Amino acid sequence: LYMDEFQSAITAAGGLDVIGFPGACSMSALESAYELRNCCDVYVGSEDGAYYNIWFDVFDDLCDYLNDYPAATPQEIAVLLVDLAGDNITSAFETQTVSSLNLSEISSLVASFDDLCSCMLANIDELGAVIEEARIGTWYMGRPYYVWPEIDFMDFLVYYLAAEDDPEVRSLIQQTMEDFNEVILNEAHGTFHDGRVYGLSIWYPTSPDSELDLYTGTDLDFADDTNWDEFL
């Protein structure tokens, strides 16, 4: 299923409190979460690889929690899921990541990031070298295997803010970072990532030309609603 098809199916079913992707890689992506913003309250997934190993016993513990706290909110459930799965990220699974997202805040994040995209696009001649420097330095997903086209979203912002001197651009980056913090409910990751992952990725390949049609050709709301694909 494309994410647009997920959106259609969940909307037709009346929506969900919590949606999670415990065994699917790369699902904690800004584009994927934004697609489901109007049909789910909270979203749980991994921005890197994902294995069922860290979810063993998690749902038993969740059921026990719901028996004790039947009025738990979707946000509380999503925070608990990350705590429980995160406790299972041992040295044997140090490449694992898991995060929970508050989808009610993701439109604000995407709007502020689009402001930054528009600025980068309009001033690409002046800003391009610094942006590329930040992209090269950013933590990318799938490091144990090969270079995946996703990078950690916040790590990119951190690098870009450190490298950029323009006060207008810095202000746009800082606003995006503030909105990002409102989206992340909880996050856990293994030691492999060296504190460089924050819970949400974005598609930013080094050479997008060969794949951009796939990104823009599946009715992805993020591509339709922002200038990110134009920037790429």
Side-chain angles (χ1 to χ4, degrees):
L1 292 175
Y2 291 119
M3 290 309 301
D4 184 64
E5 294 172 320
F6 264 107
Q7 180 194 81
S8 297
I10 296 170
T11 300
L16 295 172
D17 295 323
V18 179
I19 188 168
F21 300 90
C25 301
S26 307
M27 289 306 297
S28 189
L30 182 56
E31 299 92 341
S32 299
Y34 181 70
E35 191 76 18
L36 303 187
R37 66 197 180 282
N38 294 323
C39 51
C40 303
D41 292 331
V42 294
Y43 184 108
V44 180
S46 171
E47 61 175 316
D48 207 321
Y51 299 98
Y52 285 113
N53 307 68
I54 67 169
W55 293 95
F56 290 164
D57 300 323
V58 166
F59 299 109
D60 285 343
D61 292 339
L62 174 64
C63 289
D64 291 340
Y65 177 82
L66 290 174
N67 285 335
D68 293 335
Y69 303 99
T73 66
Q75 289 76 17
E76 290 168 339
I77 292 169
V79 168
L80 175 67
L81 284 171
V82 172
D83 282 342
L84 293 172
D87 287 342
N88 292 333
I89 301 179
T90 62
S91 59
F93 310 114
E94 63 179 0
T95 63
Q96 297 300 284
T97 61
V98 60
S99 57
S100 53
L101 315 175
N102 184 0
L103 295 187
S104 69
E105 299 292 338
I106 202 163
S107 291
S108 295
L109 170 60
V110 169
S112 59
F113 182 58
D114 188 42
D115 289 340
L116 176 60
C117 292
S118 299
C119 180
M120 293 190 300
L121 183 61
N123 300 282
I124 192 64
D125 291 339
E126 295 81 11
L127 303 177
V130 177
I131 297 170
E132 179 63 14
E133 177 186 342
R135 166 64 181 86
I136 291 171
T138 298
W139 189 270
Y140 59 82
M141 301 299 112
R143 280 176 179 254
Y145 311 105
Y146 54 89
V147 180
W148 292 0
E150 292 84 23
I151 62 170
D152 185 85
F153 182 61
M154 177 61 104
D155 201 51
F156 170 70
L157 297 175
V158 169
Y159 258 77
Y160 190 19
L161 183 65
E164 184 57 69
D165 295 327
D166 187 292
E168 178 186 357
V169 180
R170 288 180 58 84
S171 177
L172 292 171
I173 297 170
Q174 289 169 335
Q175 182 60 57
T176 305
M177 295 171 79
E178 290 177 13
D179 291 336
F180 175 91
N181 290 328
E182 296 300 315
V183 169
I184 302 297
L185 290 169
N186 200 5
E187 182 274 330
H189 58 269
T191 56
F192 172 82
H193 295 287
D194 195 30
R196 298 282 303 281
V197 295
Y198 297 82
L200 196 57
S201 68
I202 190 170
W203 192 74
Y204 194 170
T206 53
S207 300
D209 292 347
S210 62
E211 301 169 307
L212 193 59
D213 287 346
L214 293 174
Y215 193 75
T216 59
T218 57
D219 294 321
L220 197 61
D221 287 353
F222 187 82
D224 291 339
D225 294 350
T226 72
N227 284 300
W228 182 238
D229 52 315
E230 286 85 358
F231 167 77
L232 293 176

